[in-house]
Amino acid sequence: MRCPDHLFLQLDQGRRLKERSGYRGRFAPSPTGVLHFGNLQTALLSWLQARRFGGEWLLRIDDLDTPRNRPQSVLRIQSDLRWLGLHWDGQPILQSSRRGIYSSWLSFLRRSGLLFACRCSRRDLAGEPMYPGTCRAIDAGWGWQAQRLPSWRLRVPDHNPYGSGDVVVRRADGFIAYQLATVIDELSFGISDVVRGNDLRDALPAQHSIYAALGQSSPRFWHGPLLCDDDGLKLSKREARAGLDVARSNGDDAAHVIGQLAAGLGLVPLGTRLSTKELLCEVRDGSNLPLDS
Ligand code: GLU
């Protein structure tokens, strides 16, 4: 089924933006708290990779999951990035302002017969490495049942090259799933390269499957190291102590923090002070950036 004109235009515009600038990257934090050093390290890597290619770097705020959003985070993310010298191109993109667009894509996918309703609970699927296809062949119904809505899953061909099961594109709580929103956004904003933390590597199969369902090619994906706390656990945005407040209250300036982040990435010796622009000169050919595809 051909996609309606207004959706086709979004894809076409994305394609043109990508062609125009060659490299278009983005940083896409969720506003669930203050950016911690791990997020900042990812932001820095993503910025360096974009700028060394002379490309553009966008800021997208993944604020669809409203119950998890924290007030002030959206502004705080922007002021922290600016303070460090990580300037983005254009206006920040707020996913919450694009809900209508995601819904149009969902309707299109549903009308194309690519989605099915699924009523499996987390408990039903516990221990399954991949969605076992339980609701694929039955009519689970799209409406309310026992005060619950179904989730909507994309039918993904068995034995697909990505090793993906059927992907949830609309959650049972009615929220658009991150996997769908991110794919629509990368396509509409012409993102050529996605640089993010290693924790999101697991999202690759699902995202590749959505690109394939839309007949589009995936951007290039790069994954950088994850910073852990002293116990080896992933940092959380809710722990403000891991953010810039602590650095600033110690009297550290941006040059100190950039030096610290860059040293964590193995780009400069510990104790180096430098600006983002100076760091960019250090990584011109990019061979020292710790990124895996
Ligand atoms: N918003 C997602 C997160 O903060 C990241 C999305 C992405 O980079 O694809 O985990």
Side-chain angles (χ1 to χ4, degrees):
M1 183 166 145
R2 196 175 121 64
C3 89
D5 284 351
H6 68 289
L7 299 182
F8 177 80
L9 282 175
Q10 289 169 19
L11 298 179
D12 198 45
Q13 192 188 349
R15 214 171 290 132
R16 266 184 279 149
L17 287 166
K18 187 155 65 177
E19 268 164 29
R20 198 190 62 195
S21 38
Y23 185 112
R24 269 167 79 87
R26 73 353 172 234
F27 176 54
S30 306
T32 51
V34 171
L35 294 176
H36 56 59
F37 267 64
N39 302 132
L40 295 172
Q41 195 169 286
T42 301
L44 178 61
L45 255 181
S46 163
W47 182 88
L48 286 168
Q49 178 80 329
R51 298 307 190 207
R52 84 180 178 82
F53 282 111
E56 287 173 287
W57 191 64
L58 311 188
L59 174 62
R60 188 183 83 209
I61 306 286
D62 287 358
D63 57 349
L64 285 182
D65 194 346
T66 29
R68 294 185 66 228
N69 292 346
R70 291 283 177 282
Q72 305 303 324
S73 288
V74 176
L75 291 176
R76 181 59 203 274
I77 287 170
Q78 298 177 58
S79 64
D80 281 356
L81 293 175
R82 272 198 218 102
W83 185 79
L84 286 170
L86 294 173
H87 300 286
W88 59 93
D89 296 299
Q91 295 296 319
I93 300 153
L94 292 177
Q95 285 196 324
S96 56
S97 68
R98 296 174 46 75
R99 285 207 174 90
I101 293 174
Y102 309 130
S103 297
S104 304
W105 280 102
L106 263 182
S107 316
F108 162 62
L109 289 170
R110 189 175 150 183
R111 283 198 314 271
S112 309
L114 287 169
L115 305 187
F116 64 93
C118 170
R119 298 200 179 259
C120 296
S121 65
R122 259 175 220 271
R123 186 140 42 97
D124 294 334
L125 300 176
E128 297 284 355
M130 201 188 276
Y131 180 69
T134 321
C135 294
R136 211 199 244 208
I138 58 171
D139 179 5
W142 299 95
W144 291 93
Q145 279 177 25
Q147 296 179 332
R148 292 188 60 121
L149 284 172
S151 60
W152 296 9
R153 286 183 184 268
L154 178 70
R155 272 173 221 282
V156 176
D158 292 334
H159 314 296
N160 61 84
Y162 321 112
S164 156
D166 297 326
V167 183
V168 172
V169 288
R170 205 209 64 172
R171 296 170 6 186
D173 57 11
F175 285 108
I176 306 284
Y178 151 73
Q179 309 286 16
L180 179 69
T182 195
V183 168
I184 300 300
D185 286 347
E186 318 303 14
L187 289 170
S188 331
F189 291 98
I191 300 300
S192 63
D193 292 72
V194 170
V195 175
R196 55 191 180 187
N198 247 326
D199 54 332
L200 282 163
R201 197 183 280 277
D202 293 350
L204 276 180
Q207 290 177 15
H208 281 310
S209 297
I210 301 176
Y211 285 107
L214 295 173
Q216 305 295 311
S217 43
S218 303
R220 275 181 297 263
F221 287 104
W222 308 90
H223 295 92
L226 265 198
L227 206 65
C228 294
D229 66 11
D230 298 341
D231 304 320
L233 297 172
K234 194 181 140 189
L235 297 176
S236 151
K237 281 208 198 71
R238 279 168 292 269
E239 295 166 53
R241 68 183 174 83
L244 285 178
D245 281 344
V246 177
R248 282 191 285 237
S249 66
N250 290 339
D252 297 340
D253 61 2
H256 176 95
V257 176
I258 292 295
Q260 207 178 343
L261 294 169
L265 292 167
L267 300 173
V268 296
L270 202 61
T272 308
R273 292 174 46 80
L274 76 182
S275 68
T276 47
K277 277 203 189 117
E278 287 161 339
L279 179 59
L280 187 57
C281 297
E282 302 277 326
V283 298
R284 266 298 168 207
D285 82 344
S287 56
N288 49 354
L289 290 180
L291 285 174
D292 299 322
S293 49

